[in-house]
Amino acid sequence: MTNVPVEGIAIPEVAHPEPQNNWRKYFSFSTDHKVIGIQYLVTSFVFFLIGGLLSMVIRAELITPQADLIDRTLYNSMFTMHGTIMIFLWIFPSLVGLANYLVPLMIGARDMAFPRLNAAAFWMVPVFGILLMTSYFLPAGTAQAGWWSYPPVSTQNPTDSVITGEFVWILAVAISGVSSIMGAVNFVTTIVRMRAPGMTFFRMPVYVWTVFSAQIIQLAALPALTAGAIMLLFDVAAGTAFFNPDKGGNPVLFQHFFWFYSHPAVYVMVLPIFGVFSEIFPVYSRKPLFGYRVVAVSSLLITTVSVLVWVHHMYASGTPGWMRMLFMATTMLVAVPTGIKVFAWVATIWKGKLRLNTPMLFCLGALIMFVFAGITGVMLASVPIDIHVNNTYFVVGHFHYIVYGTITMGMFAAIYHWFPKMTGRMYYEGLGKLHFALAFIGVNLNFFPMHPLGLQGMLRRVSSYEPEYAFWNVVASIGAFLLGMSTIPFILNMVGAWVQGKPAPDNPWRAIGLEWLVSSPPPVENFEELPVVVSGPYGYGKSDPLVENAAALKEG
Amino acid sequence: MDSSISTEKPDVAIAPHAAHAHEEDHAGNSMFGFIIFLLSESVIFLSFFAGYILVKTTTPNWLPPGVSGLEVSKPAINTVVLVASSFVAYFAERALKKENLLVFRLLWLLTMAMGAYFLVGQAIEWSELEFGFSDGVFGGLFYLLTGFHGLHVLTGILLMGIMLFKSFVPNNYAGGHTGVDATSLFWHFVDVIWIILFILIYIWQ
Ligand code: HEM
Ligand SMILES: [Cu+2]
């Protein structure tokens, strides 16, 4: 593509050739970042379905106050595997997949800096996913200590085999960590060194900024979890006493390692979704992103502050008062760069010509959910409230507004938005809107009741509860099943549209950005000739006088 | 398609590239990637160190019963050898830059030997200690830190072996020395980590 596609007043509907579907390449060791991106997305979605089925079992158990559906061991293993799968096999890999697909295209590169490393990092995902699943067949059963794996719960071993569910769990999470570090090295190198001529940092789309910031967190904080995991592995399998208080060890040390990573990790998950918002709102509002530079830089600010707040997860772990106050203050500080972003998105939509296509609907829904979760987050960050609701369903409600309401819904927005680019076909708008409606209602029905439940004192990770909690639990379970159903139109849409959807033009949304300049789907080498970038990424709505005149005439 | 938007003209953000596409600098990418990988590895060590400091300063019965401390003199000799080997590696790298393959190979081999000396010294020390891996937090942390570092020394020696082998492949170093540069950087890294470790474990008892 050597010509610049300039859109005029009338858009010619060019006939597009039927896109070729060579599905076999998605099952092979490919080094093309686009193939790897889709491999990640599809694989992680399969795990999303598995994790989702587990959550249905959990919610089915919680319809009644008694623990009558499954026994407690199985219940523990259900929520442990659910959380682990959703975090390590859905959110992380799907975000990496999206970034894999988009980043090289958006910065005008032919591929990632290290294509083979990239493929190797992807293939580790099914490997550790399957490894994790095999623990269902172990005599000792799967891990049961939750996704935190706090000792001493996680180091208990009633059986006499060394290969326990916990052992396998740590190994799987360790492989996921290796894969993430490989990915992070690749992304940071690609973004720093492979940008097309003229693509300065301040001409990069915000999405690339957010991926960059998130991957820096991976490099700076993930190794702390690795250190903790190595020590936990020895405690579980070799009888060391790093975290065993009976032999002089320190269980709180594990919590430090864990949260030093896992708090920043929430920003690894949510930052790219902020990037998605920043790409989608301008396109569907036909307005430039408000305060582009500030929004871009605020991602790095979030990165910096996020590694300074981990102790807000440990207010109730015997943390001294002065330390609680310190971390309460730093936590509140995160609200500043985050608030800037929310303000910028609202200002972008404000008085824009909104197009309510599926991606835009999902983004709007996700933004609302995020604002709500931010409010409960600030509540949790204040010590007195947290001491009250710590370890209750309030916390579960808070983070599910983030991980489902914001991140997963944002992910769906991204998939719909870039689907035409990835497949060369249009998705079905009707099915997309149905998906959105079911999901939006389902998320709120499912997760809102957890807030009153938590305030009333219902503990998390229990399979039976006092009868007075029954009402909200039934509501939540109905929401959960609705949410489960909402994925059916999504699957129908994706499979149906990919097989026989209408061929998509190169730039169906009239978006600006390098990825929309290449054909749909893009050729193997992305760009026949590398582009030279001459301006920023958000010049929407800057119409020239001629066009404005024409518009005025038309409106009469 | 939505008709309300057809009156807009997105501005042109891109100019087609008239000149040749720029060349990719693969060696530069590799070195850059390796450096950020090392930065990230140093966070693992920093975490171990932080854990060590936290546990040491908060645990009342820090040493296992019957253990009074660690012997410093032999590990000190080991330290001197390892630090010196970093300089040898540096001169090996310089010799290679001057295309003096023979000197490079000799110095490189010497670096490997010094690394091996360090490892053997550590193995002997381990075999003579009167506490084990699972003897309280101190035993665990001691073997974990020295062992994890030793693993890095071993990796460094293996990497150097590969580079040495590659130096016998004709014309292999015509395009650049990224592999050797990266290996020697790794070796300096392992060295610096050891100095911190030595101070933390042996000096600050
Ligand atoms: C931005 C994306 C966010 C994500 C993905 C997220 C995710 C989570 C998760 C997963 C947990 C539960 C951890 C567990 O105990 O298993 C949690 C708890 C918590 N979150 Fe968030 N959160 C986010 C934003 C925030 C914000 C903005 C704040 C504060 C301003 C906040 C404050 C807290 C606090 C204090 C807890 C601990 C509650 C407790 O354990 O008692 N979070 N969050
Ligand atoms: Cu947090």
Side-chain angles (χ1 to χ4, degrees):
Chain A
M1 173 141 321
T2 45
N3 284 332
V4 183
V6 181
E7 259 78 3
I9 297 171
I11 297 162
E13 266 298 331
V14 203
H16 287 274
E18 278 281 302
Q20 295 292 311
N21 253 334
N22 183 6
W23 54 271
R24 277 188 194 84
K25 68 177 180 235
Y26 295 106
F27 290 89
S28 63
F29 189 87
S30 169
T31 55
D32 179 353
H33 73 98
K34 298 180 291 297
V35 175
I36 296 175
I38 291 176
Q39 284 175 327
Y40 264 115
L41 284 169
V42 174
T43 311
S44 60
F45 185 72
V46 171
F47 284 110
F48 176 70
L49 293 180
I50 298 175
L53 286 178
L54 293 179
S55 71
M56 304 281 131
V57 180
I58 297 174
R59 280 316 322 174
E61 167 66 74
L62 292 174
I63 286 185
T64 57
Q66 302 82 25
D68 41 15
L69 188 67
I70 52 181
D71 69 32
R72 291 215 156 86
T73 322
L74 191 57
Y75 185 83
N76 290 347
S77 109
M78 289 272 161
F79 72 68
T80 299
M81 294 294 270
H82 162 74
T84 308
I85 289 171
M86 286 306 195
I87 303 257
F88 294 104
L89 286 157
W90 158 243
I91 297 189
F92 275 130
S94 65
L95 289 170
V96 171
L98 187 70
N100 239 302
Y101 196 94
L102 292 177
V103 165
L105 283 168
M106 283 180 163
I107 62 172
R110 294 193 193 284
D111 204 329
M112 298 282 282
F114 310 113
R116 266 176 300 160
L117 188 72
N118 200 19
F122 161 71
W123 282 101
M124 291 175 132
V125 175
V127 167
F128 80 78
I130 291 168
L131 179 68
L132 194 67
M133 297 297 151
T134 56
S135 61
Y136 271 109
F137 305 102
L138 289 177
T142 74
Q144 296 180 25
W147 81 288
W148 306 334
S149 258
Y150 276 8
V153 178
S154 56
T155 46
Q156 278 166 6
N157 182 5
T159 65
D160 37 46
S161 64
V162 174
I163 311 296
T164 57
E166 192 61 33
F167 185 86
V168 172
W169 187 93
I170 301 171
L171 275 189
V173 171
I175 300 176
S176 129
V178 173
S179 158
S180 296
I181 290 286
M182 282 158 60
V185 168
N186 213 343
F187 277 117
V188 171
T189 309
T190 305
I191 294 171
V192 172
R193 299 191 43 101
M194 308 268 289
R195 283 168 287 125
M199 177 60 85
T200 59
F201 263 83
F202 279 114
R203 284 182 189 160
M204 290 190 326
V206 169
Y207 179 72
V208 180
W209 274 91
T210 56
V211 170
F212 184 61
S213 311
Q215 297 301 324
I216 289 179
I217 297 180
Q218 294 285 48
L219 291 169
L222 182 55
L225 181 67
T226 313
I230 293 173
M231 291 161 83
L232 188 65
L233 193 68
F234 283 126
D235 271 10
V236 168
T240 53
F242 296 117
F243 308 126
N244 181 349
D246 300 338
K247 286 162 81 183
N250 187 342
V252 176
L253 179 61
F254 179 81
Q255 297 190 17
H256 280 294
F257 283 137
F258 182 82
W259 287 115
F260 183 80
Y261 173 63
S262 294
H263 176 76
V266 309
Y267 292 98
V268 177
M269 303 183 223
V270 86
L271 273 170
I273 294 300
F274 291 169
V276 168
F277 290 172
S278 307
E279 301 311 312
I280 289 184
F281 284 139
V283 185
Y284 295 83
S285 318
R286 311 311 304 167
K287 279 177 68 192
L289 181 69
F290 186 88
Y292 160 66
R293 280 176 178 241
V294 182
V295 175
V297 172
S298 68
S299 312
L300 281 176
L301 284 180
I302 293 177
T303 299
T304 315
V305 184
S306 72
V307 291
L308 303 174
V309 306
W310 77 97
V311 174
H312 67 212
H313 295 272
M314 299 165 62
Y315 288 153
S317 305
T319 308
W322 63 269
M323 215 184 199
R324 288 178 182 171
M325 288 304 127
L326 197 69
F327 280 94
M328 177 164 141
T330 52
T331 304
M332 302 285 181
L333 216 62
V334 185
V336 178
T338 318
I340 290 176
K341 281 200 158 71
V342 174
F343 177 77
W345 295 321
V346 174
T348 304
I349 312 168
W350 198 253
K351 295 199 174 154
K353 294 186 203 160
L354 298 199
R355 281 187 281 166
L356 294 180
N357 300 49
T358 310
M360 182 65 164
L361 287 175
F362 267 101
C363 269
L364 287 171
L367 180 58
I368 295 170
M369 306 274 91
F370 176 68
V371 170
F372 190 87
I375 295 170
T376 55
V378 174
M379 288 167 76
L380 287 171
S382 66
V383 176
I385 301 181
D386 186 74
I387 296 295
H388 177 61
V389 294
N390 175 268
N391 228 3
T392 68
Y393 261 90
F394 194 86
V395 176
V396 184
H398 157 71
F399 73 74
H400 278 90
Y401 265 70
I402 296 275
V403 289
Y404 206 120
T406 311
I407 300 176
T408 303
M409 303 255 283
M411 192 68 213
F412 285 134
I415 291 174
Y416 283 110
H417 181 66
W418 280 287
F419 183 84
K421 180 53 63 188
M422 294 179 178
T423 62
R425 296 183 186 267
M426 298 303 289
Y427 63 84
Y428 302 112
E429 198 63 65
L431 277 175
K433 287 186 170 141
L434 177 67
H435 176 199
F436 171 74
L438 290 175
F440 191 75
I441 300 169
V443 164
N444 284 292
L445 275 187
N446 191 350
F447 302 120
F448 180 78
M450 297 184 174
H451 298 88
L453 280 175
L455 289 174
Q456 288 160 24
M458 177 169 165
L459 292 180
R460 62 197 286 203
R461 300 176 173 169
V462 291
S463 57
S464 61
Y465 50 82
E466 300 298 314
E468 69 249 37
Y469 303 135
F471 171 72
W472 284 119
N473 269 301
V474 173
V475 177
S477 293
I478 294 172
F481 296 126
L482 203 61
L483 212 47
M485 267 162 53
S486 77
T487 49
I488 295 171
F490 176 71
I491 298 171
L492 290 179
N493 204 346
M494 294 295 113
V495 175
W498 203 339
V499 175
Q500 53 171 25
K502 200 171 111 225
D506 293 347
N507 187 1
W509 315 121
R510 305 280 167 260
I512 302 172
L514 296 187
E515 79 270 31
W516 301 106
L517 280 183
V518 294
S519 61
S520 299
V524 175
E525 288 270 79
N526 293 354
F527 303 92
E528 227 161 76
E529 260 186 281
L530 285 184
V532 175
V533 182
V534 296
S535 76
Y538 297 108
Y540 294 98
K542 286 192 202 153
S543 33
D544 61 29
L546 249 178
V547 178
E548 262 168 5
N549 279 344
L553 274 177
K554 212 172 153 195
E555 267 148 37
Chain B
M1 207 65 35
D2 212 310
S3 66
S4 66
I5 49 134
S6 59
T7 51
E8 281 197 16
K9 174 179 174 292
D11 50 318
V12 180
I14 327 297
H17 197 347
H20 310 284
H22 63 163
E23 288 298 318
E24 274 175 31
D25 173 9
H26 287 291
N29 283 354
S30 306
M31 201 61 191
F32 183 89
F34 192 70
I35 290 172
I36 54 177
F37 167 73
L38 279 190
L39 284 177
S40 155
E41 264 237 311
S42 56
V43 179
I44 301 193
F45 280 106
L46 285 181
S47 311
F48 282 145
F49 296 157
Y52 184 88
I53 295 171
L54 184 94
V55 178
K56 178 173 160 76
T57 50
T58 56
T59 311
N61 301 318
W62 163 242
L63 294 176
V67 178
S68 55
L70 293 163
E71 205 263 316
V72 185
S73 57
K74 278 184 201 152
I77 298 173
N78 243 347
T79 308
V80 173
V81 172
L82 194 66
V83 172
S85 76
S86 231
F87 290 94
V88 180
Y90 170 74
F91 285 110
E93 203 187 344
R94 275 203 19 189
L96 185 64
K97 288 232 164 72
K98 291 192 191 127
E99 317 248 319
N100 194 341
L101 264 181
L102 182 71
V103 175
F104 162 72
R105 284 176 191 143
L106 285 176
L107 291 178
W108 205 235
L109 210 59
L110 181 60
T111 317
M112 290 170 70
M114 291 165 94
Y117 174 89
F118 175 89
L119 275 188
V120 173
Q122 199 169 56
I124 294 174
E125 187 198 352
W126 275 22
S127 67
E128 289 170 352
L129 288 172
E130 66 248 26
F131 59 89
F133 191 28
S134 46
D135 285 337
V137 258
F138 175 75
L141 282 169
F142 173 82
Y143 285 100
L144 181 71
L145 263 67
T146 54
F148 194 59
H149 176 268
L151 212 60
H152 280 74
V153 176
L154 189 66
T155 312
I157 296 175
L158 290 177
L159 285 176
M160 283 191 270
I162 296 172
M163 294 304 141
L164 189 67
F165 176 76
K166 279 174 82 175
S167 81
F168 288 99
V169 180
N171 292 330
N172 200 13
Y173 285 136
H177 318 117
T178 319
V180 170
D181 291 349
T183 308
S184 118
L185 187 69
F186 183 74
W187 198 248
H188 301 322
F189 166 79
V190 170
D191 219 10
V192 172
I193 294 288
W194 176 258
I195 295 173
I196 305 175
L197 219 159
F198 181 72
I199 295 172
L200 215 56
I201 296 188
Y202 291 92
I203 309 274
W204 181 47
Q205 286 201 26

